[in-house]
Amino acid sequence: MIQLKQERNQLFTDIYDGLKPKRIPIRIQVTHEAAIQYCKMDLKHTQWDKTAYFSFMDKVSAQLETDLTPVSMNVRTPAYYQILESEAFVMSSSGVLQHPEVKSMEAKEYDEFIEDPYSFILTKALPRVYKGFGGDPVRKSLNLAKAMAAYEDYKKAQLVAMSKINEKYGYAHLPIGGVTEAPYDFLADVLRSFTEISKDIRRCPDKIAEACDAVLPYLQRCAVSPMSSNYNRTMIPVHMPPFMNTKQFEKYFWPSFKQLVQFIYERGSNCWLLLQGDMVRYIDYINELPGNPEVRHEYGDMKEVLERTNKKHIISGLYPVTMLETSSEKECMDYARKTVEILGQNGNYIFNFDKPILSLDENSMQNLRAVIATVRKYGEY
């Protein structure tokens, strides 16, 4: 297993160093919910049982010959959000944590936020959508302490289970160096909501630009950590550009986002960008980003993405995860071979689906194994 782990690590270090790897690396993300579902365990109960992590991760990992641990970390700990009485992340009747559209800042409060983002978030934004932060200071402090203790307990349990899985199956080990957001996305996600910021960009666009600049230093702090490197990269989900026209993107999204990526690069790290929605029209902008970020596309024509992408940058995604449930095994394999033959031409491709795997049963697991086997067979250089 030590040799296998080294070989798999080498695939990623080569491609991150700008070298053509021995074969196309395989990275997928089976969510906790999908893994628990596949193991026929009760989703509501299992998410609260720290002793169950290894069990469902092991059963799924045993069947998937990927290069990184296939079951992803669960960053949304239900206990954390329940203790804080969250309205931003709430448990659905099915047991899946949902993110309803909420706002924690009014349009008239932009100036107050711009003056001191940190103070505004602590004193106004958080208490509005996390009711556990309301009330007297003692109650707020206790709730925060309990929530953080729960978060760390569950995180530790996951990390221990994942470490055991890595050693058992010889997966490569490339931890996330940091997680952050583009300033514009942060405003939409945490403060104004998708709907409200789409109104704001027409009625007070200059305030948005100022707010993006004001919050940028705080998002830079989240972006890098002591273990950040060219291999331990910063994950940035990018989701608002598809809802903007190109002029709006150029003026209000791009400047602060580019500064954020430049900041990460100047500190010796790189990015893993998750482009949510169809962002092919922005490829020329992404090509301007420094370093060689890994760019996962959800949508787009594979040939166009390949032809237009900066050859230093790393392409990922574009295989529709829905095919695992809606297509035959042969159709899944044929599409996997097509994906490899098109996107793997230049040696700067990491196989991944367009989205995380949110559902997994026996049929989709069979198709998933077939896809992975096809990528391994035809992905050698």
Side-chain angles (χ1 to χ4, degrees):
M1 285 300 172
I2 294 177
Q3 183 179 351
L4 179 59
K5 187 180 187 71
Q6 291 173 341
E7 291 174 357
R8 285 170 165 166
N9 267 307
Q10 194 64 49
L11 296 174
F12 289 97
T13 56
D14 280 347
I15 203 168
Y16 287 154
D17 285 336
L19 305 173
K20 183 179 288 188
K22 184 178 179 180
R23 63 171 173 81
I24 293 172
I26 301 172
R27 175 210 290 270
I28 68 170
Q29 293 89 41
V30 177
T31 63
H32 270 51
E33 292 90 346
I36 293 169
Q37 171 198 14
Y38 178 75
C39 296
K40 296 180 171 54
M41 302 167 75
D42 181 77
L43 179 58
K44 293 181 181 179
H45 173 78
T46 306
Q47 289 184 86
W48 291 83
D49 184 0
K50 298 191 292 292
T51 66
Y53 285 128
F54 181 83
S55 176
F56 64 78
M57 292 176 70
D58 182 51
K59 184 172 182 178
V60 171
S61 299
Q63 302 191 53
L64 300 176
E65 202 172 356
T66 57
D67 295 310
L68 288 167
T69 312
V71 182
S72 57
M73 287 278 290
N74 182 14
V75 297
R76 302 297 183 190
T77 305
Y80 173 86
Y81 293 105
Q82 180 166 312
I83 292 169
L84 292 180
E85 301 174 42
S86 172
E87 294 180 356
F89 293 93
V90 297
M91 186 65 71
S92 68
S93 59
S94 66
V96 176
L97 204 63
Q98 301 285 344
H99 180 30
E101 184 169 64
V102 296
K103 63 179 180 179
S104 59
M105 184 178 85
E106 300 296 333
K108 63 184 180 181
E109 294 176 316
Y110 268 106
D111 286 335
E112 186 178 350
F113 174 79
I114 291 166
E115 183 178 354
D116 191 340
Y118 188 67
S119 176
F120 184 90
I121 290 171
L122 283 182
T123 61
K124 292 194 173 180
L126 284 176
R128 288 171 180 172
V129 291
Y130 293 89
K131 300 305 181 182
F133 281 124
D136 64 87
V138 174
R139 178 178 181 272
K140 289 189 285 188
S141 299
L142 287 174
N143 284 343
L144 178 59
K146 288 189 292 185
M148 291 308 300
Y151 174 81
E152 292 300 330
D153 283 348
Y154 282 91
K155 180 180 177 181
K156 180 180 178 180
Q158 289 185 71
L159 290 172
V160 169
M162 187 168 288
S163 177
K164 292 179 179 178
I165 295 293
N166 281 341
E167 294 306 313
K168 182 175 180 178
Y169 297 102
Y171 291 124
H173 183 58
L174 296 166
I176 295 293
V179 180
T180 191
E181 276 195 300
Y184 190 100
D185 282 338
F186 182 84
L187 293 178
D189 267 358
V190 180
L191 297 165
R192 292 294 290 138
S193 80
F194 282 26
T195 301
E196 293 303 317
I197 201 168
S198 296
K199 298 175 184 176
D200 295 345
I201 203 166
R202 289 170 172 80
R203 57 192 177 192
C204 56
D206 292 340
K207 295 298 180 184
I208 292 179
E210 290 183 59
C212 285
D213 289 339
V215 80
L216 176 60
Y218 301 95
L219 297 173
Q220 288 173 333
R221 293 181 188 179
C222 303
V224 293
S225 70
M227 65 181 182
S228 293
S229 71
N230 184 42
Y231 313 124
N232 300 340
R233 297 185 160 210
T234 300
M235 183 177 73
I236 308 179
V238 182
H239 40 255
M240 285 306 295
F243 303 96
M244 309 169 74
N245 63 45
T246 303
K247 289 184 178 179
Q248 291 171 337
F249 172 85
E250 289 177 340
K251 189 169 184 180
Y252 304 112
F253 187 98
W254 182 247
S256 56
F257 175 65
K258 188 175 182 180
Q259 288 183 64
L260 176 64
V261 175
Q262 183 69 38
F263 175 88
I264 294 166
Y265 178 69
E266 289 174 353
R267 278 145 188 83
S269 189
N270 242 305
C271 296
W272 177 27
L273 304 179
L274 314 182
L275 304 188
Q276 299 170 341
D278 188 347
M279 297 198 195
V280 172
R281 62 188 165 116
Y282 298 117
I283 286 180
D284 293 339
Y285 295 92
I286 295 168
N287 285 340
E288 297 177 17
L289 296 176
N292 60 339
E294 179 181 343
V295 185
R296 191 183 83 187
H297 292 265
E298 280 195 353
Y299 300 102
D301 178 80
M302 289 188 286
K303 290 183 179 179
E304 181 182 3
V305 171
L306 177 72
E307 291 169 0
R308 290 181 56 194
T309 297
N310 184 332
K311 296 301 185 291
K312 293 190 303 179
H313 290 193
I314 300 164
I315 300 171
S316 182
L318 292 174
Y319 190 109
V321 73
T322 53
M323 286 189 67
L324 297 177
E325 294 188 350
T326 62
S327 303
S328 68
E329 182 176 335
K330 184 179 185 303
E331 289 172 330
C332 289
M333 294 171 67
D334 289 345
Y335 200 88
R337 182 172 181 178
K338 175 185 175 182
T339 304
V340 165
E341 290 176 347
I342 294 174
L343 295 176
Q345 293 179 40
N346 299 324
N348 63 336
Y349 174 59
I350 294 176
F351 178 83
N352 203 340
F353 292 97
D354 57 347
K355 302 177 184 69
I357 298 172
L358 298 175
S359 178
L360 196 61
D361 57 20
E362 290 296 342
N363 179 67
S364 53
M365 173 61 89
Q366 181 177 331
N367 286 342
L368 177 55
R369 289 197 300 266
V371 167
I372 292 170
T374 302
V375 175
R376 292 182 65 87
K377 179 178 180 180
Y378 295 101
E380 295 185 358
Y381 290 112

